[in-house]
Amino acid sequence: MLESGLIIRALMRNKIGALLIALQIALTMTIMVNAIFMIQDRQQQMARESGINEEDTFYLTNTIFAQDYNIQVGLQTDLNAIRKTPGVVDAIQINAIPLSGGGWSSGLQTEPGEDKDGIGTAIYMVDDHAINALDLELIAGTNFSPSDIGWRLPAQSAWPAKVIITQALANSLFPDNGQSALGKTVYISNNQPMQVIGIIKNLQAPWNGWSGVERSALVPFQMESRSGRYFIRTEPGRRDELMPVIESMLANSDKGRIIRRLSTMEETREQSYRQHNATNKILMTVVSTLTLITAFGIVGLAIFSINRRTKQIGTRRALGATRWQVMRYFMVENFFISAVGITIGIIGTVSLNYWLVNKFNMTPLGFELIALGVVTLVIVGQLAVLYPARKAALISPATATRTV
Amino acid sequence: MFFYYLRLARISILRHWGLSLLMVTAIALGIGAAMTTVTVNYLMSADPIPSKSHALHTIQLDNWDESNPFKEGLEPPPFLTYRDAKNLLSAKKAQRQTMHTAAKAVIEPLAEEDLPLYVTVRANTADFFTMFETPFVYGGPWQKEVDDNNDLVVVLSEKINERLFAGENSVGKSIKINGDLYKVVGVLANWQPKPRFYHVDKVKAFDDSEDIFLPFTAITRKKINFDDNSYCWGPTTDNWQDYLNSECAWVHFWVEFNSPAEKQQYRDFLNGYVEEQRLYGRFKRPNDNRINTLEQWFKAREVINKDNNMLMAMAFLFLGVCLLNTVGLLLAKFLGKSPEIGLRQALGASKSTLFYQYMVESACIGVMGGLLGLLFTYLGLAGIEVLYGEKMKALVTLDAQLVIFAILLSVAATVIAGLYPTWRACNVAPANQLKSQ
């Protein structure tokens, strides 16, 4: 560009002022790119599918307190009553709820023995209605049959003979060929065999922050426990209407227990990712305010430097510079300052990211985001300088002749 | 002179009101962001029991699998096995010691027409109350003998006493759990330490304290079920007695020392205890007996969320941008005054008076930024409460200390930001400026 040399020489006369804006742009870029990166990271985590139907499902806790209570009979009576309620698709007893943060995990291994490595997985204890009640997609093999379901007594250590696992767990157990898992025997508690009879597409573990969150196993167990959870799926759109119906039906049918903690899956998801959501919103606010402040800072400083140079601008205009040329001068000047700022900013961004990766175990930043930050800041700078530059362009050539 | 400079500052600030507004807003936003995150972190790491925090310690022992260490061997399990806790408790080697864990229960109605009540339970030994200085409205802790003789007694929280006995003195009355009658020996005043130091982890650190407190034997005798994390290895267990004797770690164990010497003695005692247990074939891993202070314990249990530390780092960088912004704008502003400064110097103003004058102006902007910043902090904290929900309520209040800190931070920040521009302004060569007038 024609005036580049001139602009740079002029900038060098007020190095500090220009450097300050450049530094501000650099810091803005550092924060902006890293914050957007963190936001994206969280959004990706939140976008993962739990694998279950979350719209039409809810669950509740059934706590028994009466003394001589037949838990096995009580459970069957409850489940039958819920399943028969008009509008209910299916219902199960389950030991843990996906995304809820509380559950059971265990290690599965492909060969028996205490010295063999296991793969950690979430354990869901359910009956043969689970695939329907959770709305899971069985991609290979078969569901449990009613005769597979056993009772799990408190503190029992024996496991049933069959298991259904997620595709992700199959791939972890049999890295060469996940599909081959079907029909194979895996071992739980080091040496108790279980045969894989089915593979489901997706089912998340209860812990959303766990690296193995896609690894889950369904185990055909009904629990003889004085505190149990019922998970219920309704016909589409009927959840809210049926929740109080089922609650009062259960509470009234049997006075030896308490029905509590009714919760929908949607609430559970909201709770589960509350921290993520909050952090994202805070980061969004920080990024947008920051960009605004930097933009206004550029406007303020440009206006000042134009006010100081009114006479020079007038002189240039008097010597034949067009309005556009005057405007262009300030825009090119801003571009140079931004370029310096962005260069420092790239270094800052990468360093901050490096620190965050080390300190908070985050993944390193991608190149596209840095490019996006560069483009955004150049545009913000140019937009911010537009108004002052226009003001400069409107200075009349006659100014040059005044006050001398 | 000071008031004269204040007047000059006022004139100068009002003359460039747009610029001044921009500076004040930028500082205020920076202060608001920094203070919001500082407040949350400050309250999260607040000392929940200042009178005792130096004396209370938690114990960790590494009873884990020789070939498959707990948490890659970086950290022993956070809790003790029941048998170790029981042994340490009966050894009575510290000033005070208690074991406890979380449980749940249903209080059954005594009268036909009443409804059953689900309650959260802390199962603990007698020293729990004296160690943690729980305030009582009625009665007091149970006697130490209760921990051995299996008496069925209970300490109620204020909330539950309100619910069951309309807030009256219920000492001597009974409640029914699982068919057993428990005699009320004490009622706590509202006791909600934040963080709930005696049971902290990533999720539960800011939960409320429990509804009722029962002797630990209620759990060991299977009167109620415990409801907490348990970390296990070793042979699987088929009944409750096996479980109590297993290597499962689930009992929180706390001790109180009055002096560093006692702590050292206890360390020696623990080493001896582990050696002794090795004779029974336990503790096959190298010694990793830990006596954690509250501070160390909070750190190990990640009471302060990583997100919060990260947000605080971001907020301070943000404040940095706002200050750079202010430095730039002040520089432009003061340099714009060069002719005026030249004139004043020619009329005899010394550099130090000029410096004083412009520092007063910077500080004025700082104070205004700080005050507006407090408003932003207040809004920021309200926003945090909306985003994180009820649980954070205790963590989003400003106290006098924080308010003073905020004002000082903003004034200090602006004065530092004003140093360079002021220095430049004072070094204007008067002759040049006067020539161009």
Side-chain angles (χ1 to χ4, degrees), chain A residues 29-30 342-352:
Chain A
M29 169 156 174
T30 305
I342 286 167
T343 314
I344 308 175
I346 292 176
I347 302 171
T349 307
V350 175
S351 327
L352 178 66

Side-chain angles (χ1 to χ4, degrees), chain A residues 225-398:
Chain A
S225 156
R226 292 178 75 84
S227 191
R229 271 197 207 95
Y230 297 162
F231 185 96
I232 297 142
R233 174 175 158 214
T234 68
E235 287 166 9
R238 296 194 64 184
R239 180 194 68 197
D240 294 342
E241 151 210 354
L242 283 168
M243 279 174 74
V245 173
I246 287 170
E247 181 184 18
S248 63
M249 177 196 79
L250 290 175
N252 292 331
S253 68
D254 184 338
K255 300 284 186 194
R257 46 93 174 277
I258 295 185
I259 301 296
R260 56 188 193 93
R261 285 172 65 180
L262 257 80
S263 179
T264 64
M265 265 320 287
E266 279 170 354
E267 285 163 359
T268 305
R269 172 172 282 277
E270 201 268 326
Q271 283 284 341
S272 181
Y273 287 114
R274 179 161 241 176
Q275 174 91 37
H276 279 35
N277 255 322
T279 306
N280 269 4
K281 281 185 183 145
I282 295 171
L283 287 174
M284 270 317 286
T285 319
V286 166
V287 169
S288 39
T289 338
L290 193 62
T291 316
L292 269 182
I293 287 186
T294 304
F296 275 108
I298 293 173
V299 174
L301 285 168
I303 289 182
F304 248 90
S305 88
I306 287 162
N307 283 348
R308 282 207 314 159
R309 284 187 270 183
T310 309
K311 250 188 293 179
Q312 285 94 317
I313 296 165
T315 311
R316 271 198 75 198
R317 292 275 285 126
L319 290 177
T322 61
R323 285 194 171 148
W324 162 239
Q325 279 171 327
V326 172
M327 237 178 117
R328 193 177 63 185
Y329 177 93
F330 286 100
M331 296 182 75
V332 173
E333 184 189 66
N334 173 275
F335 180 79
F336 283 143
I337 298 175
S338 299
V340 174
I342 286 167
T343 314
I344 308 175
I346 292 176
I347 302 171
T349 307
V350 175
S351 327
L352 178 66
N353 182 248
Y354 183 77
W355 182 74
L356 288 169
V357 167
N358 278 322
K359 181 117 176 139
F360 301 112
N361 299 326
M362 299 199 319
T363 43
L365 187 68
F367 166 76
E368 322 81 61
L369 263 185
I370 298 186
L372 184 76
V374 171
V375 174
T376 313
L377 278 170
V378 169
I379 293 174
V380 167
Q382 292 293 303
L383 283 179
V385 87
L386 208 57
Y387 167 73
R390 248 182 67 80
K391 233 181 114 175
L394 290 176
I395 290 173
S396 139

Side-chain angles (χ1 to χ4, degrees), chain B residues 47 56 88 98 118 148 154 168 220 222 308 322 346 350 389 400 420:
Chain B
D47 187 345
L56 297 175
L88 296 188
T98 183
Y118 175 88
D148 301 317
V154 61
E168 283 166 25
T220 49
K222 204 81 185 109
N308 290 311
C322 297
S350 70
Y420 176 74

Side-chain angles (χ1 to χ4, degrees), chain A residues 13-14 16-17 20 23-24 27-28 30-31 34-35 38 42 63-67 154-158 189 192 226-227 255 257-258 260-261 270 274-279 281-283 285-287 289-290 293-294 296-301 304-305 308 311 352 355-356 359-362 403, chain B residues 16 19 22 25-27 29-30 33 37 104-109 116-118 177-180 222 225 236-240 243 305-311 313-315 317-318 320-322 324-329 331-336 338 384 386-390 420 424 436-437:
Chain A
R13 287 177 64 88
N14 182 19
I16 300 292
L20 282 171
L23 273 181
Q24 199 179 331
L27 259 185
T28 306
T30 305
I31 302 178
N34 275 289
M38 287 188 258
R42 283 180 173 70
T63 304
I64 297 158
F65 63 87
Q67 289 320 293
Q156 170 180 321
S157 60
S189 292
Q192 292 193 43
R226 292 178 75 84
S227 191
K255 300 284 186 194
R257 46 93 174 277
I258 295 185
R260 56 188 193 93
R261 285 172 65 180
E270 201 268 326
R274 179 161 241 176
Q275 174 91 37
H276 279 35
N277 255 322
T279 306
K281 281 185 183 145
I282 295 171
L283 287 174
T285 319
V286 166
V287 169
T289 338
L290 193 62
I293 287 186
T294 304
F296 275 108
I298 293 173
V299 174
L301 285 168
F304 248 90
S305 88
R308 282 207 314 159
K311 250 188 293 179
L352 178 66
W355 182 74
L356 288 169
K359 181 117 176 139
F360 301 112
N361 299 326
M362 299 199 319
T403 69
Chain B
H16 302 282
L19 195 69
L22 185 57
T25 318
I27 295 173
L29 284 171
T37 52
K104 57 187 177 185
V106 174
I107 299 181
E108 293 159 48
L117 178 64
Y118 175 88
I177 296 170
N178 266 342
D180 295 313
K222 204 81 185 109
N225 288 327
T236 44
T237 51
D238 276 323
N239 61 54
W240 182 241
Y243 186 77
N305 196 292
K306 276 186 179 172
D307 270 9
N308 290 311
N309 278 328
M310 187 269 294
L311 284 177
M314 283 295 197
L317 280 178
F318 180 78
V321 174
C322 297
L324 276 178
N325 195 52
T326 311
V327 177
L329 293 174
L331 183 66
K333 184 176 177 183
F334 289 169
L335 285 184
S338 298
I384 295 235
V386 172
L387 288 178
Y388 286 92
E390 276 292 299
Y420 176 74
R424 278 288 299 268
S436 66
Q437 288 288 310

Side-chain angles (χ1 to χ4, degrees), chain B residues 141-155:
Chain B
W142 54 76
Q143 299 301 313
K144 282 192 188 180
E145 296 79 62
V146 169
D147 295 333
D148 301 317
N149 66 14
N150 305 336
D151 277 357
L152 297 178
V153 293
V154 61
V155 167

Side-chain angles (χ1 to χ4, degrees), chain B residues 157-227:
Chain B
S157 66
E158 190 182 38
K159 184 180 105 191
I160 294 299
N161 191 50
E162 191 66 42
R163 170 84 191 262
L164 294 177
F165 300 104
E168 283 166 25
N169 186 348
S170 55
V171 173
K173 294 182 178 162
S174 292
I175 61 166
K176 189 175 172 192
I177 296 170
N178 266 342
D180 295 313
L181 286 176
Y182 290 76
K183 204 171 90 179
V184 178
V185 292
V187 176
L188 291 187
N190 188 20
W191 183 58
Q192 298 295 355
K194 301 280 168 174
R196 191 184 61 171
F197 63 92
Y198 59 87
H199 185 155
V200 289
D201 57 42
K202 260 191 264 184
V203 195
K204 292 174 182 160
F206 297 94
D207 281 5
D208 283 344
S209 60
E210 282 75 11
D211 295 326
I212 64 171
F213 298 77
L214 294 179
F216 202 89
T217 50
I219 290 211
T220 49
R221 292 167 64 220
K222 204 81 185 109
K223 297 268 183 204
I224 55 169
N225 288 327
F226 97 96
D227 181 25

